[in-house]
Amino acid sequence: MEYKTLAEAYQAIENTSKRLEKTSIISDLLKQTKQKEISKIILLLQGRVFPNWDKTSIGIASKLVVKAINKATGIDTKKIIDKFKKTGDLGLVAEQFTKKKTQATLFSESLTVEKVFKSLKKIPTIEGTGSVDKKMQIVSELLTSASPLEAKYIVRTVLEELRVGISKGTLRDAIGWAFLEKKLNFTYKQEYNIIELEDRDKYNQIMQLLQDAFDLTNDFTLVTTAAINNTLHTIKPEIGKPINPMLCRKEKNIEEAFKRTGKPAQFEYKYDGFRMQIHKANNTITLFTRNLENITTQFPEVVDIITTHVKGNSFIIDGEAVGFDAKTGKAKPFQHISQRIKRKYDIQELAKKIPVEINLFDILHYEGKNLLKTPLQERMDLLKKIIKEETKKIVFTKSIITDDDQIAQQFYDDALEEGMEGIIVKDLKTIYKPGGRIDAWIKLKPVMEPLDLVIVEAEWGEGKRSGWFTSFVLACRDEEGNLLTIGKVGTGVKEKKESDDDLTFEELTVLLKPLIEVEEGRTVKVKPNIVLEINYEEIQKSPSYTSGYALRFPRVIRNRTDERDITNISDLELVEEFYFAQK
Ligand code: ATP
């Protein structure tokens, strides 16, 4: 198929739910794209203008887009808002009203990918007085030059809600289809929605190569360039750019864990802190979270510790930062340190009040050598050689190596006794698999796993609670990133703050108000942004929610927006896994 514009391709992708068809459309689009535009198209297909590892947000609220549509089309703001309330999608509103332009558009130049890309990238750099107006101006200029269809997708991209249903897997496959077609040796049969493969293993191997390259770089534009230049297998981690951290699978008990890892295995405490990936190159230290967010400025004391306690000029090490009480020295649960992650002021003071201890458990790169393919045992041996341990500053994760079920069980019991979340069982022979949830790392935790869900709707309270939102509709995601509702919660949120850990209705209301998109009586739809950690008694099948599941007695544990966004909240696969596991 030939696509005249990116918008046409978006539409074709949105109009099908078949993954292979989406892959084919994207691959056709990529093949016909000029070399110099490929990187931009790759990002725009993800509804982004920044690479996945770059957490810069365009940061434009729907109110501003309403103004921009008004400016570009001359249509009354009230009318725009009314339509928005009915459809819940400002993109559709822009599309409809662009058809009915009432203002002269004599000077509008036609849109190019280059122009859209450049304009969107500029938005977050605008600061100071009049910045809101300048941002609005940029959006309205784009809309003035846009066709109705383009207007729809520009608005959705500006709001960072493209959602045409392109999962990372689909994009990865499409890059393969477009640029490694001969090697993959396949035929796509659209009429039957199948692909025929000459050599399935080879096909899977090549797709895996693309996936590995992505997990290493978090950058599909780099992956694409490497596919085009046939350099995929030479992609290396780059110090200073975060790597997708390796994650765990869950198992029921020691016996099952051993079945997956083999014997002997390494048993480690699972601390309740947060993941920290530490990079050093050219005397510069950079710290990243599990979400690949750069938190170097927020943790100056960690930078100092790394400088003095880790030998070497260049490395990437992996660990968990655990908060503790400066007075008592006792470990503090994650909630207490979470405030440090987003903090922009009084950083030194907060660092003194809530210090962290770095618990190291891995090394991925050392003095120019990539260690991802090195077995865990060797990686641990090296790590031990280069760290100078000091309690409350930097230590190794507490661990044992054993093949004995009883010793392992005792270690697990001790961990829980000491207030750990659980333990992690690691296969000593395996490589470090960026982004992987494989059998090499198994976590054991005693409690029913909570879910991380995003608020998509909220309801105003009644009586003395009428100034607050008191009930929240929650959603998980599917593989393509579509949000699916799974329950409604109010329990767990407090009226009054009695301890630092409490999350209040007032706090949630303040967070949700700027995110309101559509108001219908007492209910509002909100931009999906606030992620809550949710406990529940059971997962049940239910037709009332779009996920097909509902939570029995859900309860809010905490606000997890600092660590999770809509790309890594709990997915349907996990919900199903838990559903079956509880039986
Ligand atoms: P959770 O909410 O239980 O942390 P998760 O989905 O974020 O789950 P998992 O893959 O289940 O991630 O668990 C891995 C996480 O556990 C890591 O990202 C890290 O933050 C934390 N962790 C604590 N101790 C260890 C350890 N010894 N080895 C690896 N990860 C650890």
Side-chain angles (χ1 to χ4, degrees):
M1 266 293 283
E2 182 79 21
Y3 298 99
K4 284 194 209 75
T5 61
L6 176 61
E8 269 183 21
Y10 280 144
Q11 192 177 39
I13 297 163
E14 194 177 354
N15 284 345
T16 175
S17 58
K18 295 191 187 112
R19 179 164 166 183
L20 291 175
E21 199 171 327
K22 285 180 196 275
T23 312
S24 158
I25 298 166
I26 301 167
S27 140
D28 285 351
L29 174 76
L30 292 177
K31 279 195 257 179
Q32 73 186 55
T33 301
K34 285 185 232 112
Q35 183 94 25
K36 71 171 198 329
E37 278 185 356
I38 283 187
S39 296
K40 298 188 181 83
I41 294 273
I42 289 281
L43 287 170
L44 289 170
L45 277 168
Q46 302 169 79
R48 313 176 58 89
V49 286
F50 301 99
N52 303 67
W53 53 267
D54 183 341
K55 293 288 158 185
T56 312
S57 146
I58 297 178
I60 287 220
S62 38
K63 273 196 195 124
L64 206 71
V65 175
V66 169
K67 271 195 198 155
I69 299 176
N70 159 265
K71 183 114 198 280
T73 61
I75 305 258
D76 192 44
T77 314
K78 193 175 163 303
K79 229 169 141 184
I80 299 171
I81 295 174
D82 282 348
K83 256 271 150 31
F84 180 31
K85 280 187 183 164
K86 283 205 189 97
T87 58
D89 178 355
L90 262 181
L92 283 180
V93 178
E95 181 181 27
Q96 274 186 3
F97 287 141
T98 309
K99 283 180 192 149
K100 302 180 200 146
K101 272 185 200 171
T102 55
Q103 268 184 351
T105 54
L106 267 182
F107 296 105
S108 76
E109 40 176 316
S110 96
L111 277 184
T112 58
V113 165
E114 179 76 36
K115 160 108 180 145
V116 174
F117 196 81
K118 231 171 127 182
S119 305
L120 296 185
K121 260 194 113 152
K122 195 170 158 200
I123 293 175
T125 65
I126 302 172
E127 283 174 356
T129 40
S131 61
V132 176
D133 218 46
K134 279 184 207 150
K135 291 179 185 184
M136 192 276 288
Q137 192 70 31
I138 292 183
V139 181
S140 103
E141 266 168 32
L142 288 175
L143 293 178
T144 310
S145 321
S147 71
L149 197 62
E150 286 166 343
K152 166 161 125 187
Y153 294 111
I154 286 172
V155 162
R156 290 203 197 157
T157 308
V158 164
L159 290 170
E160 298 174 316
E161 290 176 348
L162 179 64
R163 306 229 192 99
V164 291
I166 305 177
S167 67
K168 286 198 176 106
T170 308
L171 184 60
R172 172 202 64 208
D173 290 359
I175 294 168
W177 285 21
F179 304 114
L180 304 167
E181 198 177 357
K182 287 221 177 74
K183 285 190 187 160
L184 289 168
N185 207 352
F186 70 99
T187 334
Y188 165 56
K189 300 234 157 123
Q190 192 185 353
E191 60 280 30
Y192 303 114
N193 189 36
I194 53 163
I195 44 169
E196 279 175 0
L197 303 174
E198 285 299 319
D199 183 343
R200 179 171 298 275
D201 286 346
K202 187 165 172 215
Y203 182 93
N204 289 340
Q205 260 168 25
I206 295 173
M207 285 306 180
Q208 190 59 51
L209 209 56
L210 285 164
Q211 182 64 43
D212 289 349
F214 177 73
D215 286 334
L216 220 50
T217 57
N218 276 297
D219 191 338
F220 270 122
T221 61
L222 278 182
V223 175
T224 308
T225 315
I228 295 172
N229 298 331
N230 206 2
T231 53
L232 275 175
H233 43 279
T234 63
I235 284 197
K236 285 199 187 73
E238 219 175 291
I239 300 184
K241 269 194 202 167
I243 299 176
N244 266 343
M246 181 161 173
L247 299 168
C248 306
R249 283 211 171 137
K250 190 176 173 159
E251 258 314 338
K252 287 195 268 313
N253 53 39
I254 301 273
E255 197 186 333
E256 296 301 319
F258 265 138
K259 275 191 199 155
R260 299 208 179 231
T261 58
K263 285 181 175 182
Q266 174 154 299
F267 289 73
E268 297 177 7
Y269 274 17
K270 185 175 195 303
Y271 300 89
D272 184 16
F274 67 96
R275 191 75 172 258
M276 201 184 261
Q277 193 176 92
I278 302 165
H279 292 230
K280 180 176 175 186
N282 307 322
N283 282 323
T284 307
I285 287 161
T286 323
L287 314 173
F288 297 102
T289 63
R290 174 196 200 277
N291 274 353
L292 319 179
E293 221 151 325
N294 186 329
I295 43 158
T296 316
T297 358
Q298 287 89 324
F299 291 88
E301 86 275 28
V302 176
V303 172
D304 291 343
I305 296 171
I306 298 299
T307 312
T308 50
H309 291 65
V310 187
K311 216 159 57 182
N313 297 314
S314 81
F315 51 77
I316 303 176
I317 50 180
D318 195 2
E320 184 91 346
V322 185
F324 61 91
D325 189 310
K327 285 194 194 114
T328 64
K330 272 206 172 138
K332 288 205 153 202
F334 174 77
Q335 289 95 303
H336 293 269
I337 35 170
S338 67
Q339 46 175 313
R340 288 200 58 188
I341 295 176
K342 287 272 149 87
R343 191 67 164 234
K344 298 222 161 66
Y345 52 93
D346 292 344
I347 285 172
Q348 295 286 0
E349 264 168 52
L350 203 62
K352 282 204 190 93
K353 208 169 109 197
I354 318 171
V356 294
E357 177 181 62
I358 305 300
N359 288 260
L360 289 172
F361 50 74
D362 224 315
I363 178 159
L364 323 186
H365 209 275
Y366 194 66
E367 305 293 36
K369 189 164 184 259
N370 177 6
L371 301 168
L372 295 173
K373 302 259 155 102
T374 308
L376 175 65
Q377 174 97 66
E378 276 177 53
R379 300 202 303 275
M380 293 304 291
D381 291 346
L382 173 63
L383 189 60
K384 289 197 172 135
K385 275 193 204 131
I386 63 165
I387 310 292
K388 197 166 90 196
E389 277 192 284
E390 186 180 342
T391 314
K392 298 293 172 224
K393 289 197 166 159
I394 191 165
V395 293
F396 298 113
T397 297
K398 185 157 177 176
S399 72
I400 56 163
I401 296 174
T402 182
D403 58 3
D404 184 306
D405 286 49
Q406 267 177 1
I407 295 177
Q409 186 63 48
Q410 186 60 51
F411 183 79
Y412 186 13
D413 294 344
D414 291 349
L416 296 179
E417 184 79 11
E418 281 182 45
M420 299 295 136
E421 277 190 324
I423 54 169
I424 299 189
V425 192
K426 296 181 180 173
D427 179 349
L428 285 157
K429 303 174 296 298
T430 48
I431 61 165
Y432 188 99
K433 175 112 187 58
R437 268 188 206 280
I438 57 172
D439 281 353
W441 287 19
I442 303 293
K443 72 172 159 192
L444 295 175
K445 265 170 132 179
V447 286
M448 190 81 166
E449 194 87 346
L451 292 169
D452 297 312
L453 302 168
V454 69
I455 300 179
V456 289
E457 262 177 47
E459 205 176 294
W460 290 108
E462 284 174 325
K464 68 172 180 150
R465 294 175 162 200
S466 62
W468 304 323
F469 290 123
T470 52
S471 154
F472 312 90
V473 176
L474 303 164
C476 60
R477 70 195 296 271
D478 67 9
E479 199 210 349
E480 317 239 277
N482 300 308
L483 297 177
L484 306 169
T485 54
I486 187 168
K488 209 175 192 182
V489 71
T491 317
V493 185
K494 303 281 160 57
E495 285 190 1
K496 257 200 226 133
K497 207 172 180 71
E498 275 155 14
S499 89
D500 275 358
D501 298 349
D502 290 343
L503 177 65
T504 62
F505 289 117
E506 189 176 354
E507 283 169 329
L508 271 181
T509 306
V510 169
L511 290 171
L512 288 169
K513 264 192 175 168
L515 303 172
I516 296 178
E517 293 192 324
V518 186
E519 271 185 82
E520 267 161 22
R522 282 178 41 224
T523 312
V524 299
K525 283 207 169 66
V526 292
K527 187 171 170 143
N529 184 263
I530 303 302
V531 178
L532 301 179
E533 187 176 25
I534 303 290
N535 244 337
Y536 47 87
E537 213 140 85
E538 199 189 343
I539 300 177
Q540 300 171 318
K541 289 233 183 209
S542 160
S544 317
Y545 296 105
T546 52
S547 64
Y549 293 93
L551 304 177
R552 209 167 110 89
F553 302 128
R555 181 185 186 84
V556 178
I557 309 177
R558 61 176 156 136
N559 179 1
R560 251 202 139 176
T561 311
D562 281 350
E563 305 158 88
R564 291 282 192 274
D565 57 32
I566 51 168
T567 65
N568 57 20
I569 54 173
S570 301
D571 59 19
L572 193 58
E573 206 183 323
L574 192 77
V575 172
E576 280 170 351
E577 193 185 303
F578 293 171
Y579 173 76
F580 288 110
Q582 74 196 0
K583 293 196 151 183

